[in-house]
Amino acid sequence: MSNEKILTASGITKSFGSLIAVNHVDLEIYEEEIVGLIGPNGAGKTTLFNLINGLETPDQGEVTFKGIDITAMSPHKICQLGMARSFQVTRSFTQMSVEEAIKVGAYNRKNEKEVQEKVEWVINFFGLEEIRDCKCSDLGLASLRKVEVARATATEPNLLLLDEVAAGLTSAELLKLMSELRRLNKEAKIALCVVEHVMQMVMSLCERIFVLDAGELIAQGVPEEISNNQRVIEAYLGRGSYGKTSSAD
Amino acid sequence: METIFQSVFSGVLMGCIYALIALGLSLIFGVMNVVNFAHGDFVMLSMYFTFWAGSLWGIDAVLTPLVTFPLLFLFGVIIYYGLISRTLREHYTIQIAITVGLMTFLRAITQLVWQARPRALTYSFIQGNIQVGGYVIALSRLVSAIISLIIIGSISYFLNRTWPGREIRATSDDLDAASLMGINYQKTYAIAFGLGSSLTAIAGGLLMTFQQVDPTMGLRFGLLSWCILALAGLGSLPGLLISGLIVGVSESLAMTFWDPRARLLVIYLIFVLVLWVRPRGIFGRK
Amino acid sequence: MEQKKNNQVTKSLLWLLLLIIAVIIPWILGSNQYSVLLVTTVLLYGVMATLWNIIGGLAGQLDLGSFAYLGLGAFTSGTLLIRYNFTPWMGMILGGLVAAGFALLIGIPLFRFRIREVWYALTTCALVEILKVVFTMWEKVGGPVERYLPHYGSLYHMRFSSYIPYYYLMLGLLLIALGVNYRINKTRLGYYLKALGEDEIAAEVLGIDTRSCKLKALVCYSFLIGVTGGIYANMYGYIHPSFFDGQESIKVAILGIVGGRGITYGPLLAALLLVGIQEFLRASIGGDVSGLYLVIYSVILIVVVLFRPKGIATIFQDVYQRVFSRRGVEKKNVQ
């Protein structure tokens, strides 16, 4: 991997009341790579995203992006630096058309003259021509997710955080999405960090994988390592069932 | 020194009634997150009902809540099913628009029926003054404050100890979970809205023992109770009471030592300052 | 493409037609000063609701303080005229600046502390009442008695002997307000405001500085309302603390909501219809039974909100699409 680090998070911790949502997590993402972030429900994946892109401020630790300390920076500045994200629960602009929603993103780097060109590029890239005039409130979940990724892409990020974009997609839609993400990575040279439950997608798409459980980073490595890692299996099967099998022994 | 005491004390008495009014609003806003701009006008309406009952049938103002309480409860439930429940899923501005429509309607109706001039009742059996250690206290205010405290206490008991009260609280905590557990949220909301409205009946009756009423006073009571809510934050009954007292005392002090016209100014300034300094209220649970 | 162009032409023609009607109305009413005043009042609410659309409709901030800015503009321009014989033609601009400055003073902490939704609404609502009390108590400028503006009948002092010039001034302001709305809608700021109005977090994450966008919208709105206030003072010929009217401020916001949030001509449409109906009712039955017109008005308001929560402008959009273009029909077929 000849590329440079684009994002470094070191020792970030965040607690809500007595609950420690993210506990001393370190992670690095390199330019133009695709990494996965997996873990059981409630492991703190979304909170980690929020800490990285500025929606929440960590209690401890720091986040650097392109060599700049962004720990306490506001989300819009972080986006202007070149980081964008999608949301697990879609946050769409319901009253806008698809084209308008993408335009909101495209204005991040483009002025009035260039913005339409960027919008066309994004619509074309994601194959949204048919629904470009539809209102976001009329779209199904799959299209909404896609529009959200398109909107984020339009801001011309160097790093894109995707929070469960594949949830609820059919396998055909999933394959299409994966090929789009690969193209996005190769052609637009965007590093991707995907939070995902769909293992098929993570395993075939990601170069490296981070595993989070109960707020702690319990493993990282290439897909094969992860799928054979004992702690990961334990975390996924759940300690309860693991305990049961061992007590049955 | 004596004037300060007198002023603070009358502020405290007033504050209890304010807390009662704000409690009604807190039930409505806290439970179902509905912004009721007409709440102050409910108080105004109750005061007119009291005036009516007093001048037509000679019922004493302190006793009219026996009639107006169920009346306002019914009114609240009808308003809920007729207007509010239809706008629950709309943008919050739509809810505000509908309650503002209601506010205008109530104001216009009262103006139509009772004309614009202020009305007051001339007699109540809790009128007169009592002497406590050299200080003169209006009996009507004292009794009103005590009744308000009793009502606030019983509402607190109702919410914490009884089944319908717990349903209301559960619904306010988590609507989805509550409906999963079989709580009919429409019914719970209707009860909460009815109860919130009917509390103004008591407050209206008490206020009429020593105040006059006119159709424009609704907005003042509305903003006043929002101010108390802002101070208190949601979900804390003692906080609500203390906030009511703070508002009552500051109003009273402003009237005594600055300028009678400054009473509103002080309340609104507290309101704006609280929002700036502690957006979630001073006693809020979140 | 051809269809789109045709659409543009019909739209411009419609606007032109409306403008011509608006221009000749005073000539028709000419002899009846009272009617001209009524129409001007309707226009005033049209201007205010259209401007409100910037902060309330596009940026989604429920501002209930329009008459605070109107009053500040009126008092600035009026006081300058009374004290220093300063021409209101300049005074109204200064009034706008004072209003915008005040809005900034209030808006910076409000947006800094992320005061939103109902709390923003109530704060702005309280501001109007605060200003009313302040100006009542501030005897040097306000006070409980009306202060009449001098120089009746002088063009330099904007004190016309007929309401007709004020009507045209208000019409001019309306065109400016519509123009500003239209312009904002087409540019980056408009897209940003619409985005943050719908979902502030999503907007932040897309690189939008929501705080500065909201401030821009607030300043734009309050400045123009302040300018309107200058004309308002001259039209009525006096200044008085009752100009800071909480009830009427709420009405302006309601017009914006009922008209259709974010639709440029929606608030204007609502103002024409609702204020028109209200003034008509007031004129025809108001004298006999006080309050009756408000009962009817509020019932209309409630019915409209219940059955057209997206705004009455959407009724016109539907009708327009059915009559003038086939695009709407085709679209439905595709879906």
Side-chain angles (χ1 to χ4, degrees):
Chain A
M1 214 165 298
S2 60
N3 290 322
E4 300 209 351
K5 271 184 203 168
I6 187 166
L7 180 95
T8 324
S10 48
I12 53 174
T13 302
K14 177 78 184 177
S15 46
F16 300 105
S18 56
L19 173 82
I20 302 175
V22 172
N23 195 2
H24 286 283
V25 168
D26 302 297
L27 96 179
E28 299 96 42
I29 298 172
Y30 294 85
E31 280 174 4
E32 295 173 38
E33 76 169 337
I34 305 182
V35 300
L37 179 61
I38 62 172
N41 273 328
K45 294 164 298 192
T46 299
T47 309
L48 186 58
F49 266 19
N50 288 348
L51 291 169
I52 291 173
N53 92 323
L55 284 178
E56 316 243 15
T57 314
D59 302 333
Q60 283 170 42
E62 61 177 35
V63 188
T64 13
F65 181 62
K66 294 178 170 176
I68 299 164
D69 181 8
I70 59 163
T71 316
M73 207 181 264
S74 55
H76 72 264
K77 283 193 185 134
I78 293 176
C79 176
Q80 285 162 6
L81 273 181
M83 190 196 302
R85 73 170 283 182
S86 76
F87 290 93
Q88 183 183 1
V89 180
T90 53
R91 291 178 165 274
S92 61
F93 302 135
T94 49
Q95 296 303 310
M96 290 190 195
S97 70
V98 170
E99 184 179 346
E100 288 171 323
I102 292 170
K103 208 167 177 181
V104 171
Y107 268 121
N108 189 41
R109 297 233 188 277
K110 301 294 184 192
N111 63 29
E112 300 289 347
K113 278 177 196 150
E114 309 157 337
V115 71
Q116 195 57 37
E117 195 184 324
K118 181 78 200 174
V119 171
E120 298 302 330
W121 183 87
V122 172
I123 287 178
N124 184 32
F125 188 94
F126 287 95
L128 297 169
E129 290 88 352
E130 277 186 20
I131 56 166
R132 63 184 296 165
D133 287 326
C134 289
K135 260 193 174 182
C136 288
S137 55
D138 297 336
L139 296 178
L141 188 63
S143 311
L144 273 184
R145 287 238 153 86
K146 192 176 264 186
V147 171
E148 214 167 278
V149 177
R151 197 173 75 180
T153 309
T155 66
E156 298 191 356
N158 306 101
L159 171 63
L160 186 53
L161 311 174
L162 299 173
D163 200 347
E164 300 209 15
V165 275
L169 297 193
T170 63
S171 53
E173 287 168 336
L174 184 67
L175 286 177
K176 190 153 170 271
L177 178 73
M178 278 167 62
S179 81
E180 277 161 1
L181 292 181
R182 275 203 195 94
R183 273 178 57 215
L184 199 57
N185 176 248
K186 290 282 167 308
E187 292 174 19
K189 310 233 176 290
I190 299 174
L192 301 177
C193 176
V194 295
V195 158
E196 207 48 74
H197 270 305
V198 184
M199 277 305 143
Q200 175 203 357
M201 171 163 166
V202 183
M203 291 299 166
S204 68
L205 191 67
C206 300
E207 295 157 41
R208 290 189 305 135
I209 292 173
F210 295 90
V211 188
L212 212 56
D213 181 29
E216 290 182 43
L217 201 59
I218 56 168
Q220 56 177 308
V222 295
E224 297 79 55
E225 287 175 308
I226 295 298
S227 51
N228 296 323
N229 185 307
Q230 194 57 39
R231 282 191 72 186
V232 177
I233 296 168
E234 206 175 293
Y236 263 87
L237 291 177
R239 251 157 244 116
S241 55
Y242 183 76
K244 239 181 254 164
T245 40
S246 57
S247 66
D249 287 345
Chain B
M1 194 60 213
E2 223 160 274
T3 26
I4 292 183
F5 179 81
Q6 194 87 36
S7 173
V8 167
F9 194 74
S10 86
V12 167
L13 296 182
M14 213 46 205
C16 294
I17 304 182
Y18 289 166
L20 181 63
I21 298 173
L23 177 61
L25 187 66
S26 165
L27 270 175
I28 293 170
F29 183 64
V31 171
M32 45 197 179
N33 209 11
V34 163
V35 178
N36 183 11
F37 257 69
H39 191 71
D41 295 82
F42 285 17
V43 179
M44 186 261 302
L45 190 68
S46 309
M47 289 174 78
Y48 270 113
F49 280 155
T50 309
F51 170 73
W52 217 352
S55 54
L56 289 185
W57 302 309
I59 303 177
D60 197 279
V62 202
L63 299 178
T64 45
L66 295 176
V67 186
T68 51
F69 188 87
L71 202 64
L72 259 284
F73 186 85
L74 193 68
F75 178 71
V77 171
I78 292 171
I79 292 296
Y80 175 76
Y81 280 114
L83 302 180
I84 310 292
S85 71
R86 291 157 192 261
T87 57
L88 281 180
R89 307 220 176 278
E90 299 287 345
H91 197 258
Y92 76 98
T93 53
I94 298 300
Q95 287 175 2
I96 294 184
I98 209 116
T99 51
V100 164
L102 182 63
M103 173 173 99
T104 319
F105 179 76
L106 290 179
R107 196 162 300 179
I109 277 285
T110 47
Q111 205 177 334
L112 201 62
V113 180
W114 289 287
Q115 276 86 50
R117 70 192 147 94
R119 304 288 187 138
L121 285 174
T122 46
Y123 174 76
S124 165
F125 58 65
I126 55 170
Q127 260 168 6
N129 295 322
I130 53 166
Q131 297 257 342
V132 180
Y135 299 109
V136 182
I137 297 160
L139 185 63
S140 55
R141 290 179 183 242
L142 185 65
V143 174
S144 301
I146 292 169
I147 295 178
S148 301
L149 287 177
I150 294 171
I151 302 289
I152 293 173
S154 27
I155 292 296
S156 164
Y157 179 84
F158 168 76
L159 287 179
N160 290 315
R161 296 291 143 93
T162 66
W163 189 246
R166 283 183 183 165
E167 280 194 348
I168 289 178
R169 289 196 355 164
T171 320
S172 79
D173 284 343
D174 191 337
L175 180 57
D176 294 329
S179 36
L180 275 179
M181 289 188 298
I183 295 176
N184 177 351
Y185 80 91
Q186 286 280 4
K187 202 178 109 203
T188 313
Y189 276 15
I191 291 175
F193 203 90
L195 191 61
S197 318
S198 56
L199 286 180
T200 65
I202 301 172
L206 297 176
L207 284 168
M208 272 316 270
T209 59
F210 57 90
Q211 267 201 352
Q212 52 186 27
V213 56
D214 72 85
T216 59
M217 66 195 314
L219 189 65
R220 200 191 118 223
F221 280 119
L223 280 173
L224 197 127
S225 20
W226 279 106
C227 174
I228 295 174
L229 221 61
L231 258 171
L234 287 176
S236 146
L237 271 178
L240 201 69
L241 186 59
I242 299 170
S243 310
L245 296 185
I246 293 176
V247 168
V249 170
S250 347
E251 186 191 50
S252 177
L253 286 176
M255 274 163 67
T256 319
F257 293 102
W258 188 8
D259 192 317
R261 290 170 298 182
R263 60 192 287 202
L264 282 179
L265 191 61
V266 171
I267 293 173
Y268 297 140
L269 283 179
I270 294 176
F271 177 70
V272 174
L273 282 178
V274 164
L275 284 185
W276 285 357
V277 181
R278 280 296 298 262
R280 280 191 189 130
I282 293 174
F283 309 101
R285 71 176 157 183
K286 279 172 196 161
Chain C
M1 242 11 212
E2 192 64 23
Q3 196 103 51
K4 221 172 190 175
K5 216 172 183 184
N6 273 337
N7 247 326
Q8 284 290 322
V9 174
T10 15
K11 253 186 198 167
S12 326
L13 279 177
L14 267 179
W15 278 111
L16 196 67
L17 185 70
L18 285 175
L19 184 62
I20 292 171
I21 293 174
V23 168
I24 58 173
I25 275 180
W27 292 4
I28 300 167
L29 299 174
S31 55
N32 189 340
Q33 284 291 311
Y34 178 65
S35 308
V36 179
L37 178 62
L38 283 193
V39 198
T40 314
T41 310
V42 174
L43 272 191
L44 169 76
Y45 280 93
V47 170
M48 293 186 71
T50 305
L51 291 172
W52 181 88
N53 196 40
I54 300 171
I55 185 87
L58 295 175
Q61 307 298 311
L62 185 60
D63 192 289
L64 301 179
S66 50
F67 272 70
Y69 309 123
L70 189 85
L72 283 173
F75 266 89
T76 310
S77 161
T79 309
L80 285 172
L81 176 60
I82 295 171
R83 290 273 178 85
Y84 309 104
N85 211 10
F86 193 80
T87 171
W89 295 104
M90 283 297 293
M92 64 181 190
I93 306 292
L94 288 179
L97 289 176
V98 168
F102 182 76
L104 263 183
L105 213 66
I106 299 302
I108 289 173
L110 274 183
F111 297 140
R112 163 99 184 71
F113 295 115
R114 297 186 174 275
I115 290 170
R116 264 182 291 195
E117 300 196 346
V118 62
W119 301 111
Y120 178 84
L122 289 163
T123 313
T124 50
C125 192
L127 278 180
V128 184
E129 302 291 327
I130 289 178
L131 283 175
K132 184 199 257 174
V133 179
V134 166
F135 274 87
T136 312
M137 291 169 63
W138 188 12
E139 305 263 348
K140 275 185 182 160
V141 177
V145 186
E146 288 95 345
R147 286 166 188 267
Y148 286 94
L149 305 185
H151 307 293
Y152 185 71
S154 151
L155 172 68
Y156 175 77
H157 298 101
M158 207 204 273
R159 299 278 291 113
F160 305 110
S161 48
S162 146
Y163 284 121
I164 293 177
Y166 295 116
Y167 173 87
Y168 285 114
L169 278 176
M170 216 44 100
L171 189 63
L173 274 176
L174 180 66
L175 292 179
I176 292 174
L178 285 170
V180 168
N181 255 284
Y182 184 79
R183 183 88 196 103
I184 289 180
N185 243 313
K186 293 273 175 237
T187 54
R188 181 192 305 239
L189 182 61
Y191 279 90
Y192 277 12
L193 289 177
K194 275 184 273 185
L196 75 88
E198 290 216 36
D199 191 323
E200 245 176 80
I201 290 178
E204 276 277 335
V205 165
L206 290 173
I208 301 174
D209 186 349
T210 52
R211 209 194 296 170
S212 96
C213 284
K214 282 193 269 187
L215 275 180
K216 277 180 202 159
L218 183 64
V219 165
C220 193
Y221 150 78
S222 55
F223 173 76
L224 286 169
I225 296 255
V227 172
T228 315
I231 297 175
Y232 184 83
N234 280 279
M235 185 168 94
Y236 284 100
Y238 65 89
I239 45 176
H240 188 256
S242 64
F243 284 6
F244 299 98
D245 193 327
Q247 199 63 39
E248 294 302 300
S249 304
I250 294 176
K251 190 152 109 195
V252 168
I254 295 297
L255 291 176
I257 297 167
V258 170
R261 281 176 303 119
I263 304 171
T264 303
Y265 58 90
L268 173 63
L269 197 64
L272 294 182
L273 287 175
L274 288 178
V275 182
I277 289 173
Q278 190 200 320
E279 294 298 326
F280 172 76
L281 287 173
R282 198 204 320 244
S284 51
I285 59 175
D288 306 330
V289 198
S290 90
L292 183 60
Y293 78 93
L294 275 177
V295 175
I296 301 173
Y297 168 76
S298 54
V299 169
I300 294 174
L301 176 66
I302 291 173
V303 169
V304 166
V305 177
L306 270 187
F307 294 100
R308 270 288 162 165
K310 293 265 178 287
I312 42 180
T314 56
I315 303 177
F316 278 71
Q317 282 178 339
D318 292 352
V319 171
Y320 178 86
Q321 281 200 328
R322 230 166 259 166
V323 178
F324 290 103
S325 87
R326 304 203 156 267
R327 268 182 84 204
V329 184
E330 279 166 18
K331 229 191 210 165
K332 270 185 192 130
N333 288 342
V334 169
Q335 284 173 356

